[in-house]
Amino acid sequence: MSDGSVLLLVAAIAFVATHLALSHPLRRMLVGWMGEAAFAGLYSTIAAITLGTMIWTFMRAPTTPPVWPVGNGLWAMATVMMLGASILLMGSLIRNPAFPGAGESAATMQAHGVFAITRHPMMWSFALWGTSHILILPITRNIILSGAIVFLSLVGSFLQDRKKTRLDPAGWAAWKSRTSYLPFAAIVQGKARFGPFGAYSLLGGFVLWIVASWAHIPLSGIPAGIWRWLT
């Protein structure tokens, strides 16, 4: 592994480790010491610095040969995955019990739309984003960066369940009984139904998917998503 890739790996580890540490084991102590507002500032600053460092080292890491060949089949798979990720992300922004100040809704909210699929739609959208990008760009620097996003999303959502259970034992237990960590598990188990998806989830997700895919052209010069076949 080249020096540039090593630096990127160190930056990715720092990004993931500080995010998990500040979100979970250190949060209560630091909030008690400096207050919620100051902690939010500290958290945001460290997140911005570590994310910026990871992106900076990513841009300067060498482009290595792909680990596997990438053809239209993988591009099609990644395109569909990104549509799903976009719908999950947009749907997660509405009435999400995991958001600060929304904890009381966990006890009574029904699992509709994206929450019938998983109680962590935002985290899984990031995991799908990282996985799809690894599939179509299997070079060292992208595997490191995208892999860090996937790891943080999946481990972070697992730890979020533990934190929410501690803060709201009855409410979060009720929410967990109607939902699942793994996508579609609650539906398979009969705990949730697909039901209607809100227009915001579907339309917003579709628009995000189209725009984000198109943005690859001016940003990287690589047509992505449906634009790979339309341009």
Side-chain angles (χ1 to χ4, degrees):
M1 187 179 291
S2 68
D3 291 345
S5 297
V6 171
L7 286 176
L8 172 58
L9 180 60
V10 171
I13 292 173
F15 171 70
V16 171
T18 54
H19 188 96
L20 292 178
L22 291 173
S23 297
H24 300 285
L26 298 180
R27 180 184 178 89
R28 187 189 304 180
M29 179 188 70
L30 290 174
V31 168
W33 174 53
M34 63 175 55
E36 190 70 44
F39 172 78
L42 174 67
Y43 181 93
S44 300
T45 300
I46 293 177
I49 291 174
T50 53
L51 177 61
T53 301
M54 185 170 65
I55 295 173
W56 185 83
T57 53
F58 170 84
M59 298 298 294
R60 283 153 182 78
T63 300
T64 57
V67 178
W68 54 77
V70 177
N72 286 333
L74 284 180
W75 270 101
M77 184 184 302
T79 298
V80 173
M81 290 172 66
M82 283 307 304
L83 175 58
S86 299
I87 293 172
L88 286 175
L89 178 60
M90 297 305 290
S92 73
L93 302 178
I94 303 297
R95 293 185 298 174
N96 190 336
F99 282 174
E104 64 277 2
S105 65
T108 57
M109 179 175 167
Q110 297 302 308
H112 294 308
V114 296
F115 296 102
I117 298 175
T118 172
R119 63 176 165 271
H120 298 290
M122 181 178 290
M123 297 296 198
W124 276 100
S125 73
F126 295 148
L128 286 173
W129 177 91
T131 302
S132 65
H133 282 69
I134 290 174
L135 285 177
I136 59 175
L137 189 59
I139 63 177
T140 301
R141 67 175 184 171
N142 187 57
I143 292 173
I144 293 173
L145 184 143
S146 298
I149 299 297
V150 173
F151 180 86
L152 178 59
S153 300
L154 300 185
V155 174
S157 57
F158 175 78
L159 294 176
Q160 184 185 74
D161 271 341
R162 295 179 59 182
K163 180 176 69 176
K164 295 292 186 179
T165 299
R166 185 182 71 252
L167 296 174
D168 181 18
W172 203 255
W175 182 233
K176 289 175 67 175
S177 72
R178 297 189 294 271
T179 57
S180 62
Y181 169 83
L182 294 175
F184 301 106
I187 296 173
V188 172
Q189 295 165 2
K191 297 191 298 183
R193 298 179 181 179
F194 255 120
F197 279 70
Y200 184 83
S201 300
L202 294 178
L203 181 59
F206 183 78
V207 170
L208 175 62
W209 177 63
I210 292 293
V211 172
S213 298
W214 173 85
H216 285 70
I217 300 174
L219 292 177
S220 66
I222 301 175
I226 62 171
W227 304 103
R228 178 175 173 84
W229 289 276
L230 294 178
T231 56

